[in-house]
Amino acid sequence: MLKSTQTLITIVITTALFCAFVFTSAQRVEADAEQKHCLALNIYHESRGQPIMGQIAVAQVTINRVADSRWGSTICEVVYQPYQFSWTHLIKNQVPREGYHWDLAQGLAQSVMTGVDEDNTDGAVFYHAGYVNPSWNRDMTITTVIGAHIFYKD
């Protein structure tokens, strides 16, 4: 029963997000193309296959880092700061190959950048997959867990 309720909630949330994206896309201001591309790549490589809310959370961490002086002042600077996101130095061919996930990542990047999707991480600037336990998280506060990722702020 619990599993079917969780599945139903996931379907409702995904449908609502999709409808909000489709029906408000004409009203939104277009995000800067280069920055949107960098954010979409980060969403795609860091969280494709995760729940929609988890992909939004990854995007929000990137945006939160832009607002924090410890990282770059643009999305692309944050994404490509050395050793912050593993895909940027581990994947040689970074061109997205899965069309559905790439299209979704681009749409989510647009909606996060234009404020349609609010911060669902409570200001997190760090995250990692739940199957690892990095040393850097010892003194941090968990803000949320979404899908396979644990989100933190310090």
Side-chain angles (χ1 to χ4, degrees):
M1 178 80 161
L2 180 60
K3 180 101 172 136
S4 63
T5 302
Q6 289 172 329
T7 302
L8 180 60
I9 290 170
T10 300
I11 291 169
V12 168
I13 290 172
T14 302
T15 302
L17 285 170
F18 178 75
C19 289
F21 175 75
V22 169
F23 294 121
T24 63
S25 63
Q27 300 170 355
R28 286 183 271 144
V29 175
E30 188 66 30
D32 175 88
E34 179 184 12
Q35 301 305 311
K36 180 177 138 182
H37 185 77
C38 288
L39 185 58
L41 282 172
N42 207 37
I43 294 167
Y44 177 87
H45 288 296
E46 288 286 311
S47 62
R48 83 176 169 274
Q50 290 296 304
I52 299 291
M53 297 307 288
Q55 293 180 58
I56 291 169
V58 165
Q60 290 295 350
V61 166
T62 309
I63 298 296
N64 292 344
R65 286 184 176 192
V66 171
D68 188 312
S69 63
R70 292 176 287 180
W71 288 279
S73 60
T74 70
I75 291 168
C76 293
E77 288 175 0
V78 166
V79 168
Y80 289 103
Q81 185 170 344
Y83 299 99
Q84 294 301 303
F85 298 104
S86 59
W87 68 270
T88 63
H89 61 274
L90 295 177
I91 299 175
K92 288 187 187 228
N93 183 355
Q94 299 173 354
V95 174
R97 298 178 189 274
E98 298 175 40
Y100 167 78
H101 291 292
W102 176 236
D103 291 344
L104 179 60
Q106 291 177 91
L108 292 174
Q110 174 73 23
S111 67
V112 168
M113 288 178 69
T114 57
V116 172
D117 289 311
E118 295 183 10
D119 188 353
N120 61 347
T121 70
D122 190 27
V125 290
F126 299 97
Y127 67 91
H128 65 80
Y131 56 83
V132 297
N133 189 18
S135 60
W136 54 257
N137 70 353
R138 302 288 185 258
D139 296 322
M140 295 189 183
T141 302
I142 295 175
T143 62
T144 191
V145 177
I146 305 173
H149 290 118
I150 304 169
F151 296 84
Y152 300 86
K153 62 182 172 183
D154 50 0

